[in-house]
Amino acid sequence: MSVAVIIPLWNGAAWISQTLDSVLAQDLRPDEVVVVDDGSSDGSPNIVRGYPGVTLLKNPDKGSSSARNFGLARTTAPLVAFLDQDDLWHKAHLKLLCNVFAQAPDVPAVVASISSFHDGRQPLFDITSASTERIDPWTGYPFLGQLGLGLPTASALLIRRTALQEVGNWDPTYLGAVDYYLWLRLSEKGPLTRLSATTVGYRQHPTSQKNRLRSSDGLGYFQRKVRASCDALEHRLPLVTNPAERVILERRRDAELSVFSLAKAVVERDQEGVMYAARSLDTLLQQESAAFRHGAFRQLVWFLCRGIDAADESRGRHTLLTDLYTVWPSDAKHTHETLRNLVRLQRFHLFSIVNPVFLESSWLQRFALLLAGFHRKTHAFMRPPKAPSP
């Protein structure tokens, strides 16, 4: 199957060679590889020029979304993959994703599983299983769902060009939440599919776009994410025939608006605003599961608690959750209980490993989940870096 790969580039000299090497090492070689320079000043375009068969373009606008659209307009392959300049692919990535399209002609997009890694290490790829599952990103809209806060990285996507064009390509309006917005919009065009194989290395570093946005203006970033949720829902509702489902989706949208109001009140130190948002949020979440309520607070702290390192971020989460629990109105009983549980988890630094269904489990199940989480973290820490695939 014919595939075009599009890579936005902005001062990516530290990573672009590794990224291009992972593309050119694919078992299924892409027909087009396009790097779109977005105004780099670090010499990274010169690195790209050293790769035969890779086309370097200059984006007249700014931003990764406009760069992706610029590259899209200058390629023709019916399947399009997007790769960030600092991410990596396993050599079987494109082949496995294309196999899904060959077997499911009604699928508009496929997402691969990812492995987060830090500079100096290698992602832990795993292709022992290549099973697939159909997923609906609206199941836990707008907090949970199978993909958490949204699609972790555009680097995991392979999309039919026609489906992408029908939803308006990449919308630069929602800086930082564009991948989340696009994933919701693509679901309008058919069933979305996830590949179990871990074929995408998602590099973690302080200068990544999401980290820069959280550090510079977490509240503004949060507002764009909320706007993306509201806009996507406006496109979704005409397709919903069940009145009860419409009510649920609209109530959940309003819940996210309340979480944003809470975030704004926290930033502005508006205690009256915190009280109002707390009661509003409790009313909107009273019919939701404990896991869903957990997701609401998880989104709040993600946008507001960006630390200089993992330990600092953990302390920030603990402080925010504890302060909220201290002033939270006792009559907002559903969210009060959720906050209490999250404060306990954060006290033992477990917030980041707790599965979203943790709060709905029995104590025996909770113990098993925590044990599995500790095992995964210990295994990842003790395992030596995996050599790059030949």
Side-chain angles (χ1 to χ4, degrees), residues 161-293:
R161 179 182 294 270
T162 52
L164 181 57
Q165 292 172 333
E166 287 170 4
V167 299
N169 300 333
W170 294 85
D171 191 332
T173 306
Y174 306 117
L175 180 62
V178 181
D179 41 13
Y180 163 81
Y181 177 72
L182 178 63
W183 191 240
L184 291 175
R185 293 298 314 278
L186 285 171
S187 69
E188 302 167 14
K189 301 303 171 184
L192 302 176
T193 299
R194 180 167 57 193
L195 178 70
S196 63
T198 302
T199 60
V200 179
Y202 181 43
R203 192 186 302 268
Q204 302 287 307
H205 57 91
T207 59
S208 68
Q209 183 186 65
K210 291 185 185 298
N211 283 334
R212 285 188 286 109
L213 292 173
R214 288 170 66 198
S215 299
S216 62
D217 183 17
L219 193 62
Y221 185 6
F222 193 177
Q223 185 175 37
R224 289 191 298 275
K225 194 274 177 181
V226 173
R227 287 169 51 203
S229 293
C230 294
D231 187 356
L233 183 59
E234 290 304 307
H235 288 88
R236 173 72 173 184
L237 287 177
L239 306 177
V240 178
T241 57
N242 185 341
E245 183 181 350
R246 292 177 62 94
V247 170
I248 291 173
L249 289 173
E250 290 172 339
R251 186 182 68 233
R252 290 180 171 184
R253 173 203 58 202
D254 294 343
E256 187 175 40
L257 288 169
S258 287
V259 175
F260 175 74
S261 296
L262 175 61
K264 188 171 184 292
V266 168
V267 170
E268 296 175 352
R269 300 182 182 275
D270 176 7
Q271 187 166 347
E272 184 177 342
V274 169
M275 296 297 101
Y276 180 83
R279 291 190 171 93
S280 173
L281 185 60
D282 193 77
T283 299
L284 291 164
L285 293 181
Q286 63 181 330
Q287 299 180 52
E288 301 291 351
S289 67
F292 192 88
R293 293 195 293 270

Side-chain angles (χ1 to χ4, degrees), residues 24-36:
L24 298 179
Q26 290 295 297
D27 292 338
L28 190 157
R29 292 291 294 268
D31 297 87
E32 302 166 282
V33 180
V34 172
V35 176
V36 184

Side-chain angles (χ1 to χ4, degrees), residues 143-144 149 290-300 338 342 356:
F143 302 127
L144 296 176
L149 288 172
F292 192 88
R293 293 195 293 270
H294 181 180
F297 285 103
R298 188 171 183 164
Q299 185 169 105
L300 174 75
T338 301
L342 291 178

